[in-house]
Amino acid sequence: MEIINFSEYIPELVSVSMIAIFMAISPGADFVMITRNSIFFSRKAGIFSSLGVSAALWLHITYSIAGLAVIISKSILLFSIIKYLGAAYLIFIGWQTFKSKSDIEICGTTGSMSSFSAFKIGFITNALNPKATIFFLSIFTQVVKPETPIAIQIMYGAIISFTHLIWFTCVAIFLTQPKLLKAFTKSKNTIEKLVGGVLVAFGVKVATHSGS
């Protein structure tokens, strides 16, 4: 059994960790969806959506380690399927939020969304994000060396997934603070339209983005 010298991979580890932090905190569809589920439903919904995002990242990690990220990014058909499904999902959720009749109470502690539904929304949002495919392609082809052991690559994946889980869980907890929820309640209609509009905009952007 080959003994891995972890010190050899410290530069890679630092690079992947820094990229993971940047990837997590960068505003995107995941952030907006976590925001939506947290303030319109509950803190618990936001946290389970965070778990969904974290789990979906393992899908990207798995096919990247297997070398399939290159195939997906180079296949117009496969990449287009992912792109348009992701765009349609974001537009659908965004439109549902936008046209809400304000019957959703902003409370942050109780809500009608089940834990499974919240997890599923987070998972699908990230799994169908074509930008995630490109992101992992760049990491596992430009940052991680081909000779890096699979065990080390899995560790990198765990860092990326855990970083997202921690960040989005913190976002869900922060957004459901009583004082913030009270302020959100006063502008519920505006927030619904804003969040819905942003999700639709993300969906349109994904659908019309031609780069791969």
Side-chain angles (χ1 to χ4, degrees):
M1 182 177 180
E2 183 181 357
I3 298 176
I4 299 174
N5 183 3
F6 288 95
S7 63
E8 294 181 11
Y9 304 99
I10 290 178
E12 274 188 9
L13 175 62
V14 172
S15 297
V16 170
S17 299
M18 295 302 295
I19 294 172
I21 293 172
F22 176 77
M23 180 187 181
I25 66 177
S26 297
D30 292 337
F31 179 84
V32 179
M33 198 67 80
I34 298 297
T35 298
R36 170 189 181 270
N37 291 349
S38 297
I39 67 175
F40 291 156
F41 293 96
S42 69
R43 174 178 294 179
K44 183 179 179 181
I47 292 174
F48 270 87
S49 293
S50 302
L51 285 167
V53 169
S54 180
L57 287 168
W58 280 103
L59 176 65
H60 303 297
I61 293 163
T62 300
Y63 67 62
S64 294
I65 292 176
L68 298 177
V70 176
I71 297 175
I72 294 173
S73 66
K74 297 302 180 183
S75 170
I76 296 177
L77 177 60
L78 284 176
F79 192 79
S80 294
I81 290 173
I82 295 173
K83 181 173 75 172
Y84 291 121
L85 283 176
Y89 185 73
L90 290 176
I91 292 172
F92 172 74
I93 297 294
W95 178 246
Q96 291 295 314
T97 304
F98 184 84
K99 72 182 184 66
S100 171
K101 298 299 183 180
S102 297
D103 55 348
I104 297 177
E105 292 298 326
I106 294 180
C107 58
T109 54
T110 59
S112 57
M113 180 177 288
S114 68
S115 297
F116 177 75
S117 294
F119 179 91
K120 181 176 66 175
I121 287 176
F123 186 93
I124 295 175
T125 299
N126 185 270
L128 295 181
N129 186 352
K131 289 186 176 180
T133 300
I134 300 302
F135 177 83
F136 279 96
L137 172 64
S138 66
I139 288 181
F140 283 90
T141 58
Q142 298 180 29
V143 179
V144 180
K145 298 182 181 69
E147 61 270 19
T148 298
I150 297 298
I152 298 293
Q153 294 188 45
I154 292 174
M155 181 179 71
Y156 294 160
I159 290 172
I160 295 172
S161 177
F162 187 70
T163 299
H164 281 71
L165 176 60
I166 293 299
W167 168 251
F168 286 124
T169 296
C170 289
V171 168
I173 292 173
F174 174 76
L175 291 176
T176 51
Q177 296 298 313
K179 290 183 178 179
L180 280 178
L181 290 173
K182 185 176 181 180
F184 291 151
T185 301
K186 296 178 181 178
S187 304
K188 182 168 62 175
N189 293 340
T190 301
I191 293 175
E192 285 174 349
K193 298 299 183 289
L194 178 62
V195 172
V198 169
L199 285 172
V200 170
F202 270 121
V204 172
K205 183 179 180 180
V206 168
T208 57
H209 183 63
S210 57
S212 63

